Amino acid sequence: MPTTYIMPPAVHNQIVSAAYRKRGFTAEEAEAAARFSQITAWHGIKTHNAIKALHLDEHFGSKAGGCVPGARIEKLPSKYRAVQKWNANRKLGQAVAFEAMNTAMQLADEFGVGVVAVDNAFHYLWGGGYVIDAAQKGYIAYTCCTAALAEVVPFGGKYPTLGTNPHSWAFPTQDAIGYPICIDWATSTVAMGRVQQFAREGKPLPPGCAVDEHGNPTTDPNKVKALLPFGQHKGYGLSLIDELYAAFIGGSLPTIRNRWDKVPPGEKGTCCFFFQCIRPDAISCDNFAQGRSQIQNVKKVLEDILGHGNESCMLPGQIEAQGAALSQKHGGLLFTRAEIDEFVKIAREGGVAFDPATLKSVEL
């Protein structure tokens, strides 16, 4: 069984925050980055933790011009009171996303629903973290974004012109089942972060996920040049939704996004975000069978779905809830040896003294 190392959240956040501060980000931005990375690790998310976040910033962010430390959000005029429109000015994606989701919740408190559209953004990483946080506060939440790069081949094509383009929903079902249901996925068969994780761990990819530089199928994560959409035409359509949202918001050509050596004058290479929160009572028609309350009705619906011999089926969000429970049980964030080795490098960058020998470990 693999050895897993337990990192106290305070140690993790100090390391991550220091690395962002070293790169010129403000204390507020560094805190948002560390908080977000803690949420991902707490829920057992390996594809979008601090290692991925700093890798993204390294290659496409503050060192490439795609993300501007200390940038300020410009809140644009909107004739719709339940909708806000922002120009993020390439501010750190995690900081923008936390503020946007909080704003969507505030709008929902007033209008029943709240929407925030964000232009000129830098990628916010794992959308599930933001919607789970909102669902835990009682909201039905949704977000989508255009991924950092066009890495996905459209169904029937051969050249990557789409992002991995995730969709993330969460529902406040903790009173019904103990945790928020979270439906969150990249629209590619796997996320590029998963490819990077498998490369770190020396593991092959499942068949049907990716192609090499010649367009041939490959399971070697080190040879991956492009990804395939999940569900063929269905994943393609879902990926297209993100690109269309972005196109309506202000996003430009996917194939030059974050490829700063290929963005011509007058074009845009930034990402776009979309956030929506709904108050559950705002959509209740108050006519639940057998006199049930809204949450009792939700619970009954889920019981019916998981009944009839389906009792062993999992609900979306259950894996993340189990990850959080495991972190809670062991009192910290759980990382592999390969991940700890990466944190040693991150700590060195930020000038933080970090000795992995001080960490407790557990066999999982």
Side-chain angles (χ1 to χ4, degrees):
M1 301 178 72
T3 300
T4 299
Y5 296 84
I6 305 168
M7 185 183 295
V11 173
H12 168 274
N13 290 1
Q14 181 187 16
I15 292 172
V16 176
S17 179
Y20 275 94
R21 290 298 302 273
K22 184 72 173 182
R23 298 184 184 193
F25 290 94
T26 67
E28 180 183 11
E29 290 169 332
E31 186 277 331
R35 176 189 167 205
F36 176 78
S37 293
Q38 178 185 337
I39 290 173
T40 63
W42 188 260
H43 288 87
I45 302 300
K46 300 291 187 179
T47 56
H48 292 81
N49 59 19
I51 300 167
K52 170 69 173 182
L54 287 161
H55 172 85
L56 197 69
D57 180 66
E58 176 82 23
H59 291 278
F60 309 110
S62 62
K63 296 187 179 182
C67 185
V68 179
R72 298 180 65 85
I73 296 168
E74 178 187 3
K75 298 187 178 181
L76 306 171
S78 173
K79 65 179 181 179
Y80 302 105
R81 294 174 63 196
V83 179
Q84 288 197 14
K85 303 183 292 182
W86 295 4
N87 174 6
N89 286 309
R90 305 190 190 187
K91 187 177 179 67
L92 184 70
Q94 301 94 307
V96 173
F98 276 131
E99 185 171 347
M101 190 61 86
N102 285 337
T103 299
M105 288 187 276
Q106 292 169 6
L107 291 170
D109 287 342
E110 184 173 359
F111 303 109
V113 61
V115 168
V116 178
V118 183
D119 193 13
N120 284 321
F122 184 65
H123 204 284
Y124 63 26
L125 295 146
W126 179 48
Y130 307 109
V131 295
I132 286 175
D133 185 56
Q136 288 172 336
K137 296 172 182 174
Y139 302 86
I140 299 170
Y142 170 70
T143 184
C144 69
C145 69
T146 45
L149 297 174
E151 299 174 304
V152 180
V153 177
F155 177 65
K158 60 182 181 180
Y159 187 86
T161 56
L162 298 165
T164 52
N165 294 1
H167 292 263
S168 306
W169 292 262
F171 296 82
T173 53
Q174 50 269 40
D175 288 345
I177 59 172
Y179 57 89
I181 286 180
C182 177
I183 300 102
D184 169 74
W185 61 69
T187 49
S188 53
T189 304
V190 295
M192 189 57 78
R194 182 73 69 190
V195 175
Q196 293 163 345
Q197 177 202 345
F198 279 28
R200 280 196 305 271
E201 307 290 347
K203 299 177 181 178
L205 289 169
C209 292
V211 294
D212 63 18
E213 61 181 341
H214 304 295
N216 297 318
T218 182
T219 59
D220 184 344
N222 297 298
K223 293 183 179 179
V224 170
K225 292 298 179 182
L227 303 173
L228 297 173
F230 82 85
Q232 300 180 327
H233 61 287
K234 297 179 181 180
Y236 167 44
L238 284 167
S239 182
L240 190 61
I241 289 172
D242 295 51
E243 300 293 353
L244 289 172
Y245 263 109
F248 278 99
I249 291 170
S252 191
L253 310 182
T255 52
I256 63 173
R257 190 163 55 237
N258 277 308
R259 301 184 190 273
W260 298 109
D261 59 335
K262 297 181 180 179
V263 180
E267 266 296 352
K268 295 167 72 174
T270 47
C271 300
C272 291
F273 304 156
F274 179 84
F275 299 86
Q276 177 178 284
C277 281
I278 301 172
R279 286 289 301 256
D281 62 302
I283 61 172
S284 172
C285 292
D286 295 324
N287 185 23
F288 302 109
Q290 301 294 322
R292 293 190 289 263
S293 68
Q294 187 180 53
I295 196 62
Q296 287 172 338
N297 200 57
V298 169
K299 185 174 182 179
K300 280 290 186 182
V301 167
L302 292 173
E303 287 174 351
D304 191 48
I305 291 169
L306 295 182
H308 318 286
N310 298 329
E311 289 80 6
S312 62
C313 294
M314 297 184 71
L315 287 169
Q318 189 170 337
I319 291 175
E320 291 85 347
Q322 290 170 346
L326 200 59
S327 296
Q328 181 70 41
K329 175 182 177 181
H330 295 289
L333 309 176
L334 306 177
F335 296 109
T336 65
R337 180 73 243 187
E339 289 171 326
I340 292 299
D341 290 343
E342 292 298 319
F343 275 103
V344 170
K345 299 174 186 177
I346 295 170
R348 188 179 302 122
E349 176 186 350
V352 175
F354 172 54
D355 181 4
T358 63
L359 300 178
K360 297 179 180 178
S361 64
V362 62
E363 301 295 320
L364 295 178

